C-alpha cells in the first residue's frame, strides 16, 4: 500500500517527478479532480493529485530506492559520528592523575568546533550558488552517483535521473550535517556525563597566551550568559578559575591545587551546560533553519518540475469542451457510379423539369435545343396529386432535367420510382444541369453525386446523360 | 439549479454545409463532412460545456429528404390556429418516429420541438429555388426563433436573391463561411444568435466570454509549447561513447545523424502538441522535413573520469584538499591561520588538473575509470533558431486560423517567415536567450518569461 502523502517531502518530490514522466492527465480530468477537493491551494492540490495517481507508476518508485540509500547512509554515518563523539569525549576526559584535564581544550572541541561548523553552515546557507556547488561536490551521494553509474548494476540505481539541483543537494546535505554534528555532540555529552559519574576528574586550564584568571573568568561568564541567571552554580567563579590555573613546567602541580582537588571537579557543570547550549541547543536551531531552508527549496523545485505549472494551471482553469460525446454514425459511401451517356436521345415524348420553373425550362430549351411537345414542371411547389397526374400521362421516352448542384433527395427518388413504374414509359433520361451562368454544364463532383445515388436504382429504362 | 440552456438546431437542405458549420462552431474536426447527401444520418448534440455545465448546445441534423410529404401531412392535420401548429409538428414526429421513410425529418425536427432555435443553412453560391419554400414553411410551423445562414460553398454569389426570400421567413439572415471563419466570425455569429431570443442573451454572452478565454488560453499554451521546444532544441547535446582516442568518421556520422533525428523528433512533437491545443486531431500535412544538412554541425571529443569532467575533477580535488587542510587547522586550533585549508585546496586542485591524464588510464576491476565521448551540439549556427522559430510559428498560425470544417491537407511547404514578423527589438531579446543556450547555460526564469512574451507578440501579429 502506498504511504499517504499529505506533506511535501523528498519522497513526494521524487514521486511527482516520476509520475509526471508517465502520466499527466487531461485538462478535463485534472480540473474535475481539483473541483472535488476541499483545499484549493496549489500545493495541496498537487499532493492530493499525486496521491490519487501514484498507482500509475508501475515501475519501482525512484524515491523508495533513493530514500533507502539515504536512510542507510544517514543511519550508518549517524551511528559512526555518535560513537566518534563518545570516543572523542572519553579521550579528552581521560585523566591520569598527574595533570588535570585542560578546560580550554575541551571548550575548543565542545564549543569552538561546533561554532565554527555552524559558521560554515551559515555561510553556505547565505551564499546560494557558490555554497551549493561546493556542497554538491562534498556530498558523498554525489560521488556515489558517479561511481555507481559506472558499475554493472547501475541500471538498478539511476541516480543521474534524479531531479536534484545543486541548491537542493546543498540543503539536503546541510540538514544532514546538522544531524551528524548533533549526534557527535551528543556522543561528547554522554561521554562527559559518564566520565563524571564514573571517575573523579580534576579540571584545570592552561595556555601559552598571557591570560590572567580574571580575564578568563570574564570570558567564561560571558559564555555562560544563557544559563547564569537560573543556574549560577554552572558559572565558574573567579576563585575556581584561579585555583584551576596550572603550568606544565616543573612536572608537578601546585600544592594549593592538590589541596583543593575536590573543588576542581566543579567545572563539569559549566562544561555540561556549554555542551548542552552551544553544541546541542544551537545545533537544534540550526537544524530547524536548515530544515526550513530545505522545505522552502523543495517547494520551489517541486513547483518547477516539468509539467507541474501546466498541471496547476489546469486545476485552476475551467475546462471548456465543445465537442459531442455521442459517436457519429458514419455513412457507408457507395463508390460505384452509374454509367453516363454523352448524347441525348433523338426525340422525347416529354421533357420534365424537376424543381425548375416553366420559364427556366424555356431558357434551357433555347440553350440546349432539345424540344418536345410535352413540357412539364415537376417537384418544387407541385402537390403530389399534380405530379401523379403528370406521371400517368407520360409515355415513350422521357427526359428529366434536374439541378446538378442540388443532390438527389428521397423526394426525387420516390418520384423517379413512380415514373419508372409506368409501363407506358420506355426510357427515362436524367440530365443533371449546371446553372445558367455555367451554360448548364455540370461539374464532375456534382455528376458523381447523382451517378452514385442513381446507381441504387436497378432499371434498364434509366439513363443519365451529361450534356 | 436550473438545467435550462439554449439549444440550436442547424437544419436545411442536404449538402448545404450544415455539418461544416457545426464543425466550425464546435471546433470539432472529427465530424464527417461529404458531398454525398445523407452524410449526417442522425442528429448529434455539440454542447459548449464549462466544467461540465452546458452553456448552449448545437445540433447537427440530417437534411430534409421528403419535405413535400411532411408538409402535405402537416396541412392535412393542421387545421388549427397558428399558436397550435407546433403541436401538429410534434404529432408528426411522434407518429413517424419509427417510420424509416421520415427518419431524417424526425431527426431534424426533434430538437426543434424540444425548444431548439432554428439555424437554417443555404448555399448562397447557387441560385435560389422555390422548392426551399416548403422546408421554410415547415420550420415556420415550428414557431421557434430562427435565423438563416448564407453559406458560400462555391465561387458564385447569389446572396441577394437568397436574402430577399429568406427575409420573409427568418428574423435574421447572416453570411457565414465555415471554411474561412475564424474566432472573430465565430463570436460575431454567436452575437447574432443572441438577438433571436431575449432569454438566450445572457448564456450566449457567457459563451462568448468562455470562447474568448479559451482562445487566449490556446494562444498562451501555443507560445509556451514553442518556447519549451526552442529551449530543448537549442540546448540539446548528443553524447556518445567512442572507442579510440579520436572519433572515426563513421562514429561522427552516426552521432550527427542521431542529433538530427532528435531535432526532427522534437519538431514533430511540438507540431503535434500545437495541433492538439487547437483541437486539430486528424490534420494531414504537406511539408518538407527540417533540413539540417547545411547548418554545419560540429562535434568534439571529451574525456571523463568516473563520469566527472576535468573541471569537475579539479573542483573535487580542491574540495577534498581543503577539507584535509581544514582538519589540520583545527588540530592546531587555528594557529596556522587556516593556511592548511588554502594549501590543501590548491594542492588538491592542481593535483587533479595534472593527474587527470594518468587517472584516465587507470583500470579498476578490469574496467577503465576513464571514458571518451563524442559530443554534438548545442547548435552553433546563428540563423538556425530563426529557421526553427519560423517553421514553428508558421505552423502554429495555420493551426490557429484553420477552420475545423476543413478536411484538406495543410500546406506547410511555403514557409515564409519575414523579418517583419519579428521586429529588430524582439530579435535582440530572442538572441540574448539563443546565445545563452548556444553556450549550454541554463536560463533564468525571468529570461524565459521575457522570451515567451516576445514570442507571443510575434505570434499574435501572425494571427492578425
Amino acid at each position: 500500500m502506498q504511504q499517504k502523502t499529505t506533506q511535501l517531502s523528498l519522497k513526494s518530490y521524487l514521486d511527482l517527478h516520476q509520475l509526471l514522466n508517465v502520466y499527466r492527465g487531461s485538462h478535463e480530468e485534472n480540473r474535475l479532480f481539483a473541483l472535488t477537493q476541499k483545499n484549493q491551494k496549489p500545493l495541496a492540490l498537487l499532493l492530493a493529485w499525486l496521491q490519487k495517481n501514484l498507482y500509475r507508476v508501475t515501475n519501482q518508485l525512484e524515491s523508495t530506492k533513493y530514500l533507502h540509500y539515504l536512510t542507510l547512509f544517514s543511519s550508518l554515518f549517524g551511528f559512526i559520528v555518535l560513537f566518534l563523539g563518545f570516543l572523542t569525549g572519553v579521550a579528552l576526559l581521560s585523566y591520569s592523575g598527574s595533570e588535570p584535564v585542560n578546560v580550554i581544550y575541551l571548550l575548543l572541541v565542545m564549543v569552538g568546533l561546533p561554532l565554527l561548523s555552524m559558521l560554515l553552515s551559515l555561510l553556505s546557507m547565505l551564499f546560494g550558488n557558490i555554497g551549493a556547488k561546493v556542497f554538491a561536490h562534498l556530498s558523498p551521494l554525489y560521488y556515489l552517483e558517479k561511481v555507481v553509474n559506472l558499475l554493472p548494476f547501475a541500471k538498478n540505481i539511476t541516480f543521474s535521473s534524479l531531479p536534484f539541483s545543486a541548491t537542493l543537494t546543498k540543503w539536503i546535505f546541510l540538514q544532514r550535517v546538522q544531524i551528524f554534528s548533533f549526534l557527535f555532540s551528543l556522543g561528547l555529552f554522554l561521554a562527559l556525563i559518564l566520565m563524571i559519574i564514573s571517575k573523579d576528574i580534576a579540571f584545570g586550564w592552561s595556555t601559552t597566551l598571557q591570560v590572567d584568571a580574571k580575564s578568563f573568568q570574564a570570558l567564561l561568564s560571558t559564555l555562560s550568559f544563557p544559563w547564569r541567571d537560573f543556574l549560577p552554580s554552572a558559572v565558574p567563579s573567579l576563585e575556581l578559575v584561579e585555583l584551576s590555573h596550572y603550568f606544565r613546567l616543573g612536572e608537578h602541580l601546585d600544592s594549593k591545587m592538590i589541596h583543593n582537588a575536590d573543588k576542581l571537579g566543579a567545572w563539569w557543570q559549566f562544561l555540561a551546560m556549554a555542551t548542552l547550549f552551544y553544541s546541542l541547543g544551537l545545533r537544534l536551531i540550526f537544524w530547524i533553519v536548515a530544515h526550513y531552508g530545505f522545505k522552502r527549496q523543495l517547494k520551489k523545485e517541486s513547483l518547477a518540475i516539468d509539467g507541474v505549472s501546466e498541471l496547476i494551471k489546469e486545476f485552476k482553469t475551467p475546462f471548456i469542451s465543445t465537442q459531442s460525446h455521442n459517436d457519429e454514425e458514419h455513412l457507408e459511401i457507395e463508390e460505384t457510379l452509374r454509367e453516363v451517356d454523352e448524347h441525348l436521345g433523338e426525340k422525347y415524348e416529354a421533357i420534365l423539369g424537376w424543381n425548375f420553373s416553366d420559364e427556366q425550362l424555356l431558357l434551357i430549351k433555347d440553350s440546349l435545343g432539345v424540344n418536345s411537345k410535352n413540357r412539364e414542371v415537376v417537384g418544387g411547389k407541385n402537390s403530389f396529386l399534380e405530379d401523379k397526374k403528370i406521371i400517368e400521362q407520360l409515355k415513350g421516352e422521357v427526359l428529366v432535367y434536374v439541378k446538378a448542384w442540388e443532390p438527389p433527395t428521397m423526394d426525387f427518388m420516390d418520384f423517379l420510382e413512380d415514373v419508372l413504374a409506368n409501363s407506358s414509359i420506355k426510357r427515362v433520361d436524367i440530365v443533371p444541369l449546371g446553372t445558367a451562368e455555367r451554360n448548364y454544364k455540370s461539374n464532375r463532383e456534382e455528376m458523381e453525386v447523382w451517378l452514385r445515388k442513381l446507381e441504387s436504382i436497378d432499371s434498364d429504362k434509366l439513363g443519365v446523360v451529361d450534356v | 439549479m436550473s438545467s435550462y440552456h439554449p439549444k440550436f438546431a442547424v437544419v436545411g437542405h442536404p449538402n448545404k454545409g450544415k455539418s461544416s458549420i457545426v464543425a466550425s462552431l464546435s471546433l470539432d474536426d472529427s465530424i464527417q463532412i461529404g458531398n454525398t447527401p445523407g452524410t449526417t444520418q442522425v442528429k448529434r448534440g455539440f454542447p459548449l460545456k464549462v466544467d461540465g455545465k452546458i452553456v448552449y448546445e448545437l445540433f447537427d441534423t440530417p437534411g430534409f429528404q421528403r419535405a413535400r410529404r411532411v408538409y402535405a401531412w402537416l396541412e392535412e392535420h393542421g387545421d388549427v390556429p397558428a399558436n397550435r401548429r407546433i403541436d401538429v409538428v410534434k404529432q408528426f414526429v411522434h407518429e413517424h418516429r419509427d417510420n424509416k421513410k421520415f427518419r431524417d425529418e424526425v431527426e431534424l425536427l426533434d430538437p426543434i420541438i424540444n425548444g431548439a432555435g432554428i439555424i437554417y443553412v443555404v448555399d448562397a453560391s447557387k441560385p435560389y429555388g422555390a422548392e426551399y419554400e416548403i422546408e421554410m414553411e415547415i420550420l415556420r410551423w415550428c414557431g421557434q426563433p430562427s435565423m438563416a445562414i448564407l453559406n458560400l460553398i462555391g465561387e458564385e454569389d447569389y446572396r441577394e436573391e437568397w436574402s430577399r426570400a429568406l427575409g420573409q421567413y427568418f428574423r435574421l439572415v447572416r453570411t457565414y463561411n465555415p471554411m474561412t471563419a475564424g474566432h472573430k466570425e465565430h463570436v460575431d455569429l454567436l452575437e447574432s444568435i443572441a438577438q433571436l431570443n431575449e432569454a438566450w442573451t445572457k448564456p450566449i454572452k457567457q459563451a462568448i466570454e468562455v470562447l474568448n478565454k479559451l482562445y487566449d488560453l490556446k494562444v498562451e499554451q501555443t507560445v509556451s509549447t514553442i518556447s519549451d521546444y526552442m529551449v530543448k532544441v537549442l540546448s540539446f547535446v548528443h553524447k556518445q561513447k567512442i572507442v579510440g582516442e579520436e572519433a572515426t568518421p563513421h562514429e561522427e556520422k552516426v552521432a550527427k545523424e542521431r542529433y538530427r533525428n532528435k531535432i526532427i523528433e522534437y519538431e514533430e512533437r511540438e507540431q503535434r502538441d500545437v495541433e492538439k491545443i487547437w483541437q486539430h486531431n486528424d490534420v494531414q500535412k504537406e511539408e518538407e522535413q527540417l533540413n539540417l544538412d547545411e547548418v554545419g554541425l560540429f562535434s568534439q571529443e571529451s574525456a571523463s573520469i568516473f563520469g566527472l569532467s576535468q573541471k569537475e575533477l579539479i573542483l573535487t580535488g580542491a574540495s577534498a584538499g581543503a577539507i584535509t587542510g581544514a582538519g589540520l587547522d583545527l588540530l592546531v586550533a587555528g594557529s596556522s591561520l587556516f593556511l592548511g585549508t588554502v594549501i590543501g585546496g590548491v594542492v588538491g586542485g592542481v593535483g587533479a588538473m595534472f593527474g587527470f591524464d594518468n587517472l584516465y588510464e587507470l583500470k579498476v576491476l578490469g574496467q577503465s575509470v576513464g571514458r571518451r565521448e563524442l559530443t554534438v551540439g548545442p547548435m552553433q549556427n546563428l540563423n538556425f533558431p530563426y529557421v526553427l522559430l519560423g517553421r514553428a510559428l508558421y505552423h502554429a498560425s495555420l493551426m490557429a486560423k484553420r477552420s475545423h470544417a476543413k478536411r484538406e491537407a495543410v500546406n506547410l511547404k511555403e514557409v515564409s517567415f519575414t523579418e517583419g514578423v519579428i521586429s529588430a527589438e524582439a530579435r535582440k531579446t530572442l538572441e540574448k536567450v539563443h546565445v545563452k543556450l548556444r553556450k549550454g547555460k541554463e536560463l533564468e526564469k525571468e529570461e524565459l518569461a521575457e522570451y515567451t512574451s516576445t514570442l507571443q507578440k510575434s505570434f499574435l501579429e501572425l494571427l492578425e
Side-chain angles (χ1 to χ4, degrees):
Chain A
M1 207 178 84
Q2 297 292 350
Q3 200 185 334
K4 203 175 172 188
T5 318
T6 50
Q7 273 195 332
L8 197 59
S9 62
L10 262 183
K11 178 176 163 46
S12 61
Y13 172 74
L14 289 169
D15 290 347
L16 191 60
H17 184 267
Q18 201 177 354
L19 175 61
L20 284 169
N21 276 333
V22 292
Y23 175 78
R24 295 194 176 192
S26 65
H27 183 185
E28 186 176 12
E29 289 164 336
N30 296 335
R31 172 68 178 167
L32 198 68
F33 166 79
L35 288 174
T36 59
Q37 299 299 305
K38 276 184 189 171
N39 192 340
Q40 287 293 308
K41 286 181 181 166
L43 210 59
L45 285 172
L46 202 61
L47 288 171
W49 182 84
L50 169 69
Q51 204 179 320
K52 183 179 171 261
N53 294 296
L54 195 58
Y55 74 92
R56 295 177 195 273
V57 179
T58 48
N59 296 334
Q60 193 188 355
L61 291 172
E62 294 288 346
S63 65
T64 312
K65 281 187 274 181
Y66 174 77
L67 290 174
H68 167 73
Y69 282 100
L70 190 68
T71 312
L72 187 73
F73 166 78
S74 302
S75 313
L76 204 68
F77 204 69
F79 180 75
I80 291 169
V81 292
L82 178 73
F83 188 62
L84 214 65
F86 185 78
L87 281 184
T88 311
V90 171
L92 286 172
L93 295 165
S94 289
Y95 173 53
S96 64
S98 61
E99 194 179 299
V101 173
N102 192 348
V103 169
I104 293 182
Y105 207 67
L106 275 176
L107 280 178
L108 276 176
V109 177
M110 289 175 168
V111 178
L113 195 64
L115 285 179
L116 184 71
S117 97
M118 282 179 217
L119 180 72
L120 284 174
S121 294
L122 193 68
L123 288 175
S124 173
M125 286 173 189
L126 296 176
F127 300 103
N129 287 335
I130 306 161
K133 277 183 184 161
V134 171
F135 269 98
H137 282 80
L138 291 180
S139 165
L141 285 172
Y142 177 78
Y143 298 104
L144 192 64
E145 172 207 323
K146 298 284 180 190
V147 175
V148 163
N149 275 335
L150 287 174
L151 297 174
F153 56 85
K155 280 177 192 165
N156 300 331
I157 318 156
T158 45
F159 284 96
S160 52
S161 67
L162 295 174
F164 295 139
S165 69
T167 315
L168 187 62
T169 311
K170 176 188 88 171
W171 284 105
I172 295 172
F173 186 67
L174 273 174
Q175 213 187 358
R176 266 152 183 79
V177 160
Q178 310 314 314
I179 296 170
F180 298 146
S181 304
F182 183 86
L183 288 171
F184 182 80
S185 302
L186 188 67
L188 271 178
F189 183 73
L190 290 175
L192 177 72
I193 300 299
L194 197 78
M195 295 295 273
I196 296 290
I197 295 168
S198 60
K199 284 170 85 174
D200 68 315
I201 304 171
F203 294 98
W205 64 279
S206 178
T207 172
T208 318
L209 303 173
Q210 295 291 315
V211 180
D212 59 35
K214 206 174 170 186
S215 314
F216 189 52
Q217 197 278 333
L219 174 73
L220 297 175
S221 176
T222 311
L223 278 176
S224 314
F225 83 93
W227 61 87
R228 69 183 164 204
D229 291 336
F230 66 90
L231 202 63
S233 61
V235 184
S237 63
L238 185 58
E239 187 197 0
L240 177 67
V241 175
E242 278 173 348
L243 266 177
S244 319
H245 197 181
Y246 78 96
F247 300 92
R248 286 193 296 168
L249 196 65
E251 289 187 356
H252 64 270
L253 292 173
D254 191 335
S255 57
K256 206 167 99 184
M257 207 170 171
I258 297 165
H259 186 69
N260 292 296
D262 59 326
K263 290 179 184 168
L264 295 182
W267 279 94
W268 79 267
Q269 288 185 67
F270 166 75
L271 291 171
M273 282 310 290
T275 313
L276 267 177
F277 180 78
Y278 291 105
S279 293
L280 297 172
L282 275 186
R283 186 61 73 182
L284 213 59
I285 293 171
F286 262 75
W287 177 80
I288 292 167
V289 173
H291 183 70
Y292 170 75
F294 163 72
K295 284 277 178 191
R296 205 180 56 163
Q297 188 63 27
L298 191 68
K299 182 181 172 187
K300 195 175 157 190
E301 292 198 15
S302 294
L303 294 174
I305 294 176
D306 186 26
V308 165
S309 61
E310 287 83 0
L311 198 60
I312 290 174
K313 204 174 262 179
E314 285 178 357
F315 289 153
K316 296 283 165 197
T317 314
F319 176 70
I320 301 161
S321 113
T322 52
Q323 291 163 330
S324 179
H325 295 293
N326 303 328
D327 289 335
E328 190 169 17
E329 279 185 26
H330 287 278
L331 175 74
E332 294 293 326
I333 296 170
E334 186 62 60
E335 288 305 322
T336 48
L337 303 177
R338 195 173 189 95
E339 274 186 33
V340 64
D341 295 327
E342 285 181 2
H343 302 287
L344 291 164
E346 285 176 7
K347 193 181 153 195
Y348 290 100
E349 292 288 332
I351 292 178
L352 307 180
W354 176 259
N355 287 344
F356 282 105
S357 65
D358 199 45
E359 293 77 22
Q360 285 171 321
L361 284 178
L362 274 173
L363 286 171
I364 295 166
K365 188 200 86 177
D366 277 355
S367 178
L368 301 180
V370 183
N371 203 0
S372 172
K373 284 183 280 179
N374 192 6
R375 191 180 68 241
E376 298 286 355
V377 168
V378 285
K381 292 178 84 176
N382 276 12
S383 68
F384 287 106
L385 205 62
E386 286 167 325
D387 278 356
K388 200 178 170 188
K389 273 185 191 165
I390 294 169
I391 293 170
E392 279 168 3
Q393 289 162 10
L394 295 174
K395 58 182 180 182
E397 292 178 331
V398 177
L399 180 66
V400 185
Y401 288 131
V402 294
K403 293 175 178 176
W405 67 89
E406 297 289 4
T409 59
M410 291 314 291
D411 194 8
F412 174 76
M413 297 301 276
D414 293 344
F415 166 78
L416 190 60
E417 268 179 31
D418 290 345
V419 172
L420 292 169
N422 183 341
S423 54
S424 308
I425 297 171
K426 288 179 185 162
R427 184 166 177 83
V428 180
D429 278 343
I430 308 282
V431 182
L433 295 176
T435 57
E437 284 73 8
R438 283 193 272 152
N439 293 323
Y440 302 107
K441 295 228 179 296
S442 59
N443 63 36
R444 192 176 56 84
E445 281 177 9
E446 291 166 349
M447 273 307 285
E448 279 182 3
V449 171
W450 278 92
L451 293 172
R452 205 175 285 130
K453 191 71 183 175
L454 294 175
E455 175 63 9
S456 62
I457 293 180
D458 183 20
S459 170
D460 295 337
K461 287 199 225 172
L462 184 67
V464 183
V465 183
D466 184 5
V467 294
Chain B
M1 198 173 73
S2 165
S3 63
Y4 170 80
H5 58 263
K7 296 174 196 137
F8 311 101
V10 181
V11 297
H13 212 64
N15 275 29
K16 297 301 159 196
K18 295 183 293 297
S19 293
S20 297
I21 284 173
V22 172
S24 159
L25 295 179
S26 65
L27 314 175
D28 188 340
D29 68 348
S30 70
I31 298 173
Q32 195 180 11
I33 294 169
N35 57 8
T36 304
T39 309
T40 307
Q41 301 223 299
V42 289
K43 68 171 186 296
R44 248 178 119 202
F46 292 81
L48 171 72
K49 284 189 197 170
V50 180
D51 286 339
K53 193 187 166 206
I54 301 174
V55 181
Y56 73 73
E57 190 168 12
L58 267 181
F59 286 94
D60 187 17
T61 64
F64 281 103
Q65 290 288 348
R66 290 183 169 98
R68 281 198 308 164
R69 284 183 195 276
V70 176
Y71 189 61
W73 191 96
L74 294 179
E75 285 218 305
E76 197 184 322
H77 296 77
D79 190 15
V80 291
N83 64 334
R84 289 187 52 208
R85 280 179 169 176
I86 181 72
D87 296 331
V88 182
V89 180
K90 281 180 183 173
Q91 195 188 338
F92 171 82
V93 172
H94 179 71
E95 280 186 24
H96 296 89
R97 205 169 277 284
D98 299 321
N99 185 345
K100 281 186 181 172
K101 208 170 174 183
F102 292 113
R103 191 193 64 183
D104 290 357
E105 278 74 15
V106 167
E107 285 289 322
L108 82 89
L109 290 172
D110 194 49
I112 299 173
I113 60 169
N114 284 303
I118 297 163
I119 299 176
Y120 185 67
V121 180
V122 297
D123 176 9
S125 68
K126 299 291 180 313
Y128 171 75
E131 66 272 21
Y132 285 85
E133 287 166 27
I134 304 280
E135 294 171 4
M136 292 191 269
E137 279 296 345
I138 295 170
L139 295 174
R140 190 146 68 175
W141 273 60
C142 297
Q144 285 296 105
S146 59
M147 74 179 289
I149 287 183
L150 302 171
N151 180 16
L152 285 165
I153 295 175
E155 285 167 7
E156 290 148 82
D157 190 347
Y158 295 92
R159 275 185 289 179
E160 214 179 304
E161 59 182 77
W162 274 105
S163 295
R164 276 200 297 270
L166 293 168
Q168 295 174 45
Y169 292 89
F170 301 98
R171 194 184 292 179
L172 285 174
V173 181
R174 293 282 182 271
T175 300
Y176 183 81
N177 187 342
M179 295 298 166
T180 56
H183 177 69
K184 190 187 169 297
E185 289 78 10
H186 186 171
V187 167
D188 287 347
L189 185 68
L190 284 178
E191 277 171 354
S192 300
I193 292 173
Q195 295 169 28
L196 292 177
N197 187 340
E198 211 181 320
W200 294 347
T201 312
K202 203 178 159 191
I204 296 290
K205 260 190 178 175
Q206 192 201 342
I208 291 170
E209 269 176 37
V210 163
L211 288 168
N212 282 337
K213 263 187 203 163
L214 183 65
Y215 185 79
D216 292 344
L217 188 72
K218 285 177 179 179
V219 168
E220 201 182 302
Q221 285 174 337
T222 303
V223 174
S224 165
T225 305
I226 295 175
S227 167
D228 286 351
Y229 154 71
M230 289 300 291
V231 172
K232 264 186 202 154
V233 171
L234 297 182
S235 55
F236 175 64
V237 175
H238 171 75
K239 276 184 184 176
Q240 70 179 55
K241 201 177 163 184
I242 54 173
V243 182
E245 282 287 305
E246 282 179 18
T248 61
H250 176 70
E251 282 173 330
E252 199 170 330
K253 192 183 161 195
V254 170
K256 285 180 179 174
E257 198 53 44
R258 287 186 184 157
Y259 178 88
R260 278 192 196 99
N261 291 343
K262 193 72 188 170
I263 301 287
I264 289 166
E265 188 191 312
Y266 277 140
E267 189 187 55
E268 285 169 354
R269 200 181 306 162
E270 179 270 333
Q271 288 196 354
R272 269 201 308 276
D273 289 345
V274 168
E275 284 156 19
K276 207 175 144 196
I277 289 168
W278 293 97
Q279 292 170 254
H280 293 294
N281 298 314
D282 193 24
V283 69
Q284 304 297 312
K285 288 176 282 186
E286 285 171 6
E287 60 181 330
E288 279 164 8
Q289 210 178 44
L290 187 63
N291 183 4
L292 285 113
D293 291 338
E294 289 165 18
V295 292
L297 293 177
F298 298 103
S299 58
Q300 61 177 42
E301 295 96 354
S302 62
S304 66
I305 293 165
F306 281 132
L308 297 170
S309 66
Q310 190 167 18
K311 201 174 148 190
E312 284 175 316
L313 204 74
I314 292 168
L315 188 57
T316 306
S319 307
I323 292 171
T324 315
L328 291 171
D329 289 332
L330 284 176
L331 272 179
V332 294
S335 58
S336 56
L337 298 172
F338 291 97
L339 272 174
T341 312
V342 177
I343 294 169
V346 172
V347 169
V350 172
M353 190 165 75
F354 290 106
F356 187 82
D357 288 340
N358 295 330
L359 265 174
Y360 177 78
E361 305 292 340
L362 190 73
K363 285 194 173 184
V364 178
L365 298 173
Q367 280 217 11
S368 175
V369 297
R371 194 156 76 157
R372 282 212 173 266
E373 283 171 338
L374 183 65
T375 310
V376 185
M379 173 63 74
Q380 297 300 314
N381 187 301
L382 298 180
N383 212 31
F384 180 65
Y386 299 98
V387 173
L388 289 181
L389 262 183
R391 287 173 65 96
L393 286 170
Y394 181 70
H395 166 261
S397 69
L398 286 187
M399 286 304 116
K401 288 192 266 192
R402 183 178 166 88
S403 164
H404 290 80
K406 281 195 173 176
R407 295 292 177 268
E408 73 266 21
V410 184
N411 185 4
L412 289 168
K413 283 181 181 170
E414 294 160 22
V415 179
S416 58
F417 192 61
T418 55
E419 291 282 320
V421 176
I422 293 185
S423 65
E425 201 182 334
R427 216 179 157 102
K428 230 163 97 182
T429 315
L430 298 176
E431 191 55 28
K432 254 191 317 196
V433 168
H434 295 165
V435 167
K436 227 172 159 184
L437 293 173
R438 270 199 290 272
K439 288 181 181 168
K441 289 184 180 170
E442 274 187 32
L443 291 181
E444 297 294 328
K445 209 174 165 185
E446 295 73 26
E447 288 173 319
L448 189 65
E450 196 186 358
Y451 186 77
T452 310
S453 148
T454 312
L455 282 187
Q456 181 151 342
K457 273 183 210 158
S458 304
F459 183 54
L460 287 174
E461 278 169 27
L462 267 177
L463 293 185
E464 276 169 11

